[in-house]
Amino acid sequence: KLDASLIRADFPILGRQVYSGVPLVYLDSAATSQKPNAVIDAMDRYYRTSNANIHRGIHVLAEEATGLYEAARKTIAGFIGARTPSELIFTRNTTESINLVAASWGRKNLKAGDVIILTEMEHHSNLVPWQMLAAELNLRLEYIPGTPEGLLDLSVYQQLLELSPRMVAFTQVSNVLGTINPAKEIIRMAHSVGAVTLVDGAQSVPHIPVNVMDLNVDFLAFSAHKMVGPTGIGALYGKEKLLESMPPYMGGGDMIKKVLLRSFVPNELPHKFEAGTPAIAEAIGFAEAATYLYSQGMENIAAHEHDIAEYALKKISQVDGVRIIGPGADQKGSVFSFTMAGIHPHDVSQILDRRGIAVRAGHHCAMPLHEKFKLPATTRASFYIYNSLEDVDTLVEGLAEVRKIFE
């Protein structure tokens, strides 16, 4: 098993004290994870020794930078089990990856009346792009409902598949409920009716083993900053044939093979979708993050978080007035969204903050899901590789203090 105390030593920010000596307990990794020395050092090393633009120059720095950037692509493609690095497109984040698919694949392949299936537990990043496209092309959006326990109702999904959808897009792990959805089964069912599939992997790729070949997913979107990597960079995996058939998403430098005054010829994969100077240092940091997680073992990370989830579910539930939304520990990751009777989530978060405990309060970019549970907002504690059972105890003590203050 992982030793969280040893792992914490790799993350310099976790040694920080806040509010005059109060130690930081970071429980907001679902929003963004902290960064280990290996990632920070890799990006710093690039800027100190090899900083140059890529794919254009033939001087030594340009060749070094290009090599590092393309090696990063290979590393990240391998991390998710892609068949070839050319199936891995660098984007700014999960949001841009999904927008790329909606704008490029969607505009080319969809027409008025076509059906897209989403779920009620989607992050806004996997709702709004499809809503925008639906308004533009007069598409029909249908939703797999969630059960009161926070699971997807696959019996309704089976009925929706009778509508012959063109796209099924869903989150593998809910950023609010922590629900781990049966992605492989959902994809298999979608393919059985000829639908293309997209998985929002923002909350799954950092926490559980994800292999795109095993899933047989058509598109997978994820972000570096949620998997101990830097902000400002993410990735889109796409099957090569699909990516080859799609038009460019943005125009500019590096995404072209030839430009005339009245026409252009797009570049080959993956460069066709990477217009302009990319986030080079961030790509290097992204690869270092993937290497760090791989060295710990994704199965070990998943097991570590499962232990925390079981413990947290038991302990948090014992706090007077707390209601956790979402399924049991066997069907969820280490994300806990909850309410405290009579206390606004923002107040809960603020009081915990004064004790050094960082949690999230709000709708977590999932307003429709909160409306389903008739909640304006929740408090969310999310655990990761560097958290321990002791962090759960600290949270529970903080919640007891919140209750005491309001009583």
Side-chain angles (χ1 to χ4, degrees), residues 14 18-19 22-32 34 338 348-361 379-383 386-387 391 394-395:
L14 297 180
V18 295
Y19 297 119
V22 178
L24 172 66
V25 179
Y26 188 76
L27 304 181
D28 196 21
S29 293
T32 196
Q34 297 301 341
F338 59 90
V348 175
S349 178
Q350 189 171 25
I351 295 171
L352 291 177
D353 177 59
R354 299 302 298 185
R355 297 174 64 93
I357 304 168
V359 296
R360 183 82 173 260
T379 305
R380 183 182 69 186
S382 51
F383 302 84
Y386 35 66
N387 292 120
D391 291 334
T394 302
L395 171 63

Side-chain angles (χ1 to χ4, degrees), residues 130-157:
W130 302 112
Q131 292 171 347
M132 293 168 64
L133 189 67
E136 176 184 335
L137 301 180
N138 194 24
L139 307 175
R140 177 179 173 183
L141 301 181
E142 295 291 343
Y143 293 88
I144 306 172
T147 67
E149 296 76 26
L151 304 175
L152 292 179
D153 190 334
L154 296 187
S155 63
V156 176
Y157 175 47

Side-chain angles (χ1 to χ4, degrees), residues 82-384:
R83 189 176 59 85
T84 170
S86 64
E87 293 181 321
L88 197 287
I89 311 298
F90 283 124
T91 62
R92 288 183 301 164
N93 41 46
T94 303
T95 301
E96 185 173 67
S97 295
I98 297 172
N99 274 271
L100 190 161
V101 175
S104 179
W105 179 88
R107 288 198 180 109
K108 180 177 179 181
N109 292 283
L110 300 178
K111 62 183 185 304
D114 282 346
V115 174
I116 296 174
I117 294 179
L118 307 170
T119 84
E120 290 183 341
M121 62 175 63
E122 298 309 310
H123 188 282
H124 296 164
S125 295
N126 201 31
L127 287 176
V128 178
W130 302 112
Q131 292 171 347
M132 293 168 64
L133 189 67
E136 176 184 335
L137 301 180
N138 194 24
L139 307 175
R140 177 179 173 183
L141 301 181
E142 295 291 343
Y143 293 88
I144 306 172
T147 67
E149 296 76 26
L151 304 175
L152 292 179
D153 190 334
L154 296 187
S155 63
V156 176
Y157 175 47
Q158 183 66 64
Q159 297 172 11
L160 291 175
L161 290 176
E162 296 175 5
L163 300 174
S164 300
R166 301 295 307 281
M167 165 63 76
V168 176
F170 65 97
T171 183
Q172 189 171 13
V173 175
S174 168
N175 73 308
V176 176
L177 307 173
T179 306
I180 302 175
N181 290 317
K184 192 171 182 178
E185 177 65 7
I186 294 171
I187 292 165
R188 184 197 65 77
M189 294 169 69
H191 286 166
S192 71
V193 297
V196 172
T197 56
L198 179 146
V199 166
D200 175 352
Q203 300 293 341
S204 60
V205 173
H207 300 279
I208 61 177
V210 175
N211 185 292
V212 293
M213 296 287 284
D214 179 61
L215 289 175
N216 195 24
V217 66
D218 299 299
F219 297 106
L220 172 73
F222 58 106
S223 295
H225 75 100
K226 295 185 190 292
M227 49 184 287
V228 306
T231 57
I233 190 166
L236 172 68
Y237 160 81
K239 288 182 177 177
E240 190 171 29
K241 287 186 178 180
L242 284 172
L243 293 174
E244 290 281 10
S245 70
M246 292 160 50
Y249 175 53
M250 293 175 60
D254 213 31
M255 51 71 61
I256 47 84
K257 185 177 293 184
K258 182 178 181 180
V259 177
L260 302 173
L261 288 179
R262 301 186 186 278
S263 64
F264 73 94
V265 178
N267 209 338
E268 298 175 351
L269 289 177
H271 313 298
K272 177 172 71 171
F273 294 107
E274 295 180 8
T277 299
I280 304 168
E282 287 77 7
I284 293 167
F286 195 174
E288 195 65 39
T291 300
Y292 182 88
L293 294 180
Y294 182 81
S295 71
Q296 302 295 340
M298 292 308 300
E299 294 85 357
N300 296 334
I301 293 172
H304 172 72
E305 293 188 29
H306 179 70
D307 289 345
I308 291 177
E310 284 190 322
Y311 187 75
L313 195 64
K314 175 183 176 181
K315 289 290 186 176
I316 298 173
S317 298
Q318 293 174 352
V319 178
D320 184 37
V322 166
R323 172 196 174 195
I324 298 174
I325 62 170
D330 289 341
Q331 295 172 296
K332 70 179 290 153
S334 54
V335 175
F336 292 84
S337 295
F338 59 90
T339 60
M340 294 190 74
I343 308 174
H344 195 282
H346 290 170
D347 293 326
V348 175
S349 178
Q350 189 171 25
I351 295 171
L352 291 177
D353 177 59
R354 299 302 298 185
R355 297 174 64 93
I357 304 168
V359 296
R360 183 82 173 260
H363 53 67
H364 319 307
C365 294
M367 292 179 72
L369 182 59
H370 277 78
E371 290 176 3
K372 180 180 180 64
F373 283 92
K374 296 180 173 55
L375 297 170
T378 55
T379 305
R380 183 182 69 186
S382 51
F383 302 84
Y384 199 17

